Amino acid sequence: MASKKETATDNAVEQKLKNLYQLQTKLSEIDKIKTLRGELPLEVQDLEDEIEGLTHRLHKYEEEIERLKADIEKKHTDIDEAQAMMNRYQQQLDDVRNNREYDNLTKEIEFQGLEIELLKKKIGEAERLINAKTNDLERGRGVLEERRKDLDLKKSELDEIVSETKAEEEKLREKSKVLEAAIEPRLLTAFKRIRKSSRNGLGIVYVQRDACGGCFNKIPPQRQLDIRMRKKVIVCEYCGRIMIDPELAGVKIEKPVEEKPKRRTTRRKKTEEED
Ligand SMILES: [Zn+2]
């Protein structure tokens, strides 16, 4: 390994992979910022929609209550009119000249009486409806106020995150641009394509426990060796991600050495010599 000749091409591949991995790091950080912010705009939008819908519904309730009140007022006037008519017929009863007139008048009086009963019943129904609607309205107003408070909170949270991360994101984008410029266009395009098709946004990964760090499929020893040689760009045969030697990526991988827990029983302590 020490006798490995470092040719210009070796160096070039190494540099390519290094650049690509650095770019991946920056892009992953941008992805993280987006995820952090990602749910909040949606939550804010949901709340705004809910508030709009609720406001509309409450406005409808208000309109209905107003309509019912006007209706009740109208029915009261109708009752007054019916009552006035009844009184008039009652007076006319004193001057009836024959049975037919008497029958007609009593029928009219009876009819107006029924009419008044019906109007009163309808007023009662409308009043009950107003009560129910008023309850709904009050409950809705309570919910609306809560949602508005939620919205204010989420909005300020979002504003804070955006303002906090904006500068960081811009810096990361600047750095990414510089790195991208140093990467061969064909490789960059391939990398971007892999990144886009992968759920975690990783286009280049290192070997982790003998497996691909992207899809976690085992990598054959020969391929691992090739990756360590850094002589050509090697992709994972399962997921197509570009592979990089962890050392080149600057990642420290602890060897899975099994550390046996120290057994410090009192008995051993006694028998063991201190040194
Ligand atoms: Zn893979």
Side-chain angles (χ1 to χ4, degrees):
M1 208 43 70
S3 62
K4 187 186 132 205
K5 236 166 82 185
E6 284 234 316
T7 65
T9 29
D10 284 343
N11 239 331
V13 171
E14 236 182 52
Q15 197 52 50
K16 270 183 199 172
L17 291 170
K18 224 172 166 174
N19 285 345
L20 215 49
Y21 192 77
Q22 275 180 12
L23 176 63
Q24 177 69 68
T25 310
K26 304 289 170 233
L27 294 178
S28 288
E29 279 178 58
I30 295 172
D31 288 346
K32 222 191 282 171
I33 289 174
K34 277 190 189 161
T35 315
L36 189 71
R37 198 185 289 166
E39 287 144 34
L40 269 173
L42 212 73
E43 283 173 37
V44 165
Q45 184 60 55
D46 281 351
L47 276 169
E48 278 173 346
D49 289 348
E50 198 185 343
I51 286 169
E52 200 190 304
L54 206 55
T55 308
H56 182 71
R57 206 153 68 229
L58 294 186
H59 187 63
K60 278 245 152 124
Y61 284 163
E62 285 167 345
E63 275 181 351
E64 270 176 64
I65 290 169
E66 283 314 303
R67 191 182 53 77
L68 285 165
K69 279 183 180 166
D71 208 33
I72 288 173
E73 215 161 304
K74 167 85 169 52
K75 283 189 169 58
H76 277 301
T77 316
D78 290 349
I79 287 173
D80 288 347
E81 275 170 17
Q83 191 62 55
M85 252 194 258
M86 236 170 115
N87 293 345
R88 205 159 55 240
Y89 294 143
Q90 210 85 48
Q91 273 175 358
Q92 284 172 13
L93 268 183
D94 298 339
D95 309 315
V96 283
R97 281 162 298 187
N98 51 45
N99 279 348
R100 205 169 144 258
E101 261 184 41
Y102 179 86
D103 285 347
N104 281 344
L105 280 170
T106 41
K107 258 183 207 159
E108 275 301 331
I109 289 165
E110 200 184 336
F111 176 76
Q112 292 305 330
L114 288 174
E115 189 69 11
I116 288 168
E117 284 310 305
L118 187 67
L119 284 165
K120 279 181 179 169
K121 200 178 147 213
K122 281 184 175 167
I123 286 172
E125 278 166 11
E127 276 168 349
R128 275 192 294 280
L129 216 54
I130 286 175
N131 275 338
K133 294 268 172 210
T134 307
N135 280 340
D136 287 348
L137 186 64
E138 269 162 21
R139 210 175 311 125
R141 277 175 180 156
V143 174
L144 186 62
E145 203 182 321
E146 265 173 46
R147 295 295 179 275
R148 278 191 177 137
K149 274 185 197 157
D150 284 352
L151 179 64
D152 285 347
L153 209 71
K154 296 265 179 213
K155 256 188 173 168
S156 60
E157 236 176 281
L158 180 61
D159 286 348
E160 207 175 307
I161 291 176
V162 168
S163 65
E164 263 177 18
T165 53
K166 208 178 171 188
E168 199 191 335
E169 191 185 348
E170 271 165 22
K171 225 184 279 168
L172 286 166
R173 286 195 189 281
E174 287 294 314
K175 282 181 189 164
S176 303
K177 239 187 248 169
V178 174
L179 287 165
E180 279 183 12
I183 297 165
E184 178 195 342
R186 231 174 48 145
L187 184 63
L188 185 64
T189 311
F191 166 75
K192 282 189 170 171
R193 201 190 56 237
I194 302 165
R195 213 176 98 76
K196 217 173 165 183
S197 64
S198 75
R199 247 187 311 133
N200 52 14
L202 296 177
I204 181 166
V205 291
Y206 54 85
V207 184
Q208 249 175 311
R209 293 165 197 227
D210 298 330
C212 162
C215 68
F216 304 107
N217 276 301
K218 285 265 175 260
I219 299 167
Q222 181 56 49
R223 218 173 173 79
Q224 285 192 49
L225 191 67
D226 288 343
I227 293 163
R228 274 202 297 275
M229 293 302 282
R230 309 167 185 179
K231 279 190 179 160
K232 51 182 179 174
V233 176
I234 294 168
V235 298
C236 167
E237 56 186 329
Y238 300 100
C239 67
R241 287 183 178 95
I242 297 161
M243 304 297 308
I244 184 169
D245 178 21
E247 203 186 290
L248 182 59
V251 184
K252 280 226 173 80
I253 294 199
E254 337 129 30
K255 289 255 165 85
V257 196
E258 285 199 17
E259 218 178 306
K260 287 201 177 92
K262 276 183 194 163
R263 292 183 74 192
R264 303 190 68 189
T265 59
T266 41
R267 193 187 282 171
R268 272 186 75 120
K269 225 175 187 178
K270 272 178 200 160
T271 55
E272 257 173 18
E273 292 278 335
E274 276 189 36
D275 47 339

